[in-house]
Amino acid sequence: EIVLTQSPGTLSLSPGEGATLSCRASQSVSSGLFAWYQQKPGQAPRLLLYGTSNRATGIPDRFIGSGSGTDFTLTISRLEPEDFAVYYCHQIERSPRTFGQGTKMEIK
Amino acid sequence: EVQLVESGGGLVQPGGSLRLSCAASGFTFSASSMSWVRQAPGQGLEWVSAITPGSETTYYADSVRGRFTVSRDNSRNTLFLQIDSLRADDTAVYYCAKGGFYDHWGQGTLVTVSS
């Protein structure tokens, strides 16, 4: 099983600041088989980025994905109030598919 | 508009069974792989199962293999998850999700396992 470890667990920032979220895989993941999701309280998750760096429909360009192999990064520039949520990384390289444990981004 | 609507959740005793359904509309269901993802109260996301468009192949998390069965009826645009031998740690909101990457999710159905 590919274990995804996200860091930090919690990120406290202010609107307007930038954020960097990390996800490390226990085995190499093909860039095309990696994604990020956002989840707000009481809502279903929403796809942000797929294939590491491709933004899903309606996702603003302040969300940027990068990385390869075992290290992937989600960068959010100029945080907006609606960006404060929990973010999950996800791999579909190998079954069982797995999610990271999540990074909670909270308003400082 | 893509819509995924789950149903079938509820309160069940340990050892019991439930059959979850996910009614799909707004896209070509028969061409899409589908998955189930669950989330225990206050916890993160856990991938549960996936099925290819024509039901050729199914995939399961180790924690549910042998107890859960995913299936689909492409004539009815519906995805199913049969869950047997339920345990307390199966308590969660169960989401169905569309595609290899989950570009659309249902609103979830809550399964509570308790005596």
Side-chain angles (χ1 to χ4, degrees), chain B residues 72-113:
Chain B
R72 63 193 295 163
D73 184 339
N74 287 346
S75 68
R76 295 165 53 194
N77 289 349
T78 305
L79 175 72
F80 301 101
L81 187 67
Q82 177 68 39
I83 48 180
D84 299 320
S85 304
L86 278 159
R87 312 185 305 217
D89 62 359
D90 293 319
T91 294
V93 173
Y94 285 73
Y95 296 101
C96 65
K98 165 186 169 287
F101 292 115
Y102 316 134
D103 54 13
H104 290 84
W105 298 64
Q107 83 290 349
T109 187
L110 176 62
V111 172
T112 303
V113 184

Side-chain angles (χ1 to χ4, degrees), chain A residues 28-43:
Chain A
S28 184
V29 176
S30 301
S31 297
L33 301 176
F34 186 86
W36 291 93
Y37 295 85
Q38 176 194 67
Q39 187 179 32
K40 298 179 181 179
Q43 296 184 16

Side-chain angles (χ1 to χ4, degrees), chain A residues 45-101:
Chain A
R46 175 174 72 150
L47 178 65
L48 282 180
L49 299 161
Y50 62 95
T52 298
S53 59
N54 301 291
R55 281 182 287 274
T57 302
I59 302 302
D61 60 8
R62 64 178 181 273
F63 290 89
I64 299 168
S66 61
S68 63
T70 60
D71 290 291
F72 296 85
T73 301
L74 170 63
T75 302
I76 312 171
S77 60
R78 306 179 311 277
L79 285 164
E80 298 286 343
E82 62 267 26
D83 298 338
F84 291 89
V86 180
Y87 293 84
Y88 296 94
C89 57
H90 178 56
Q91 66 82 22
I92 61 170
E93 169 84 42
R94 195 165 297 128
S95 186
R97 303 175 183 185
T98 48
F99 289 92
Q101 82 280 14

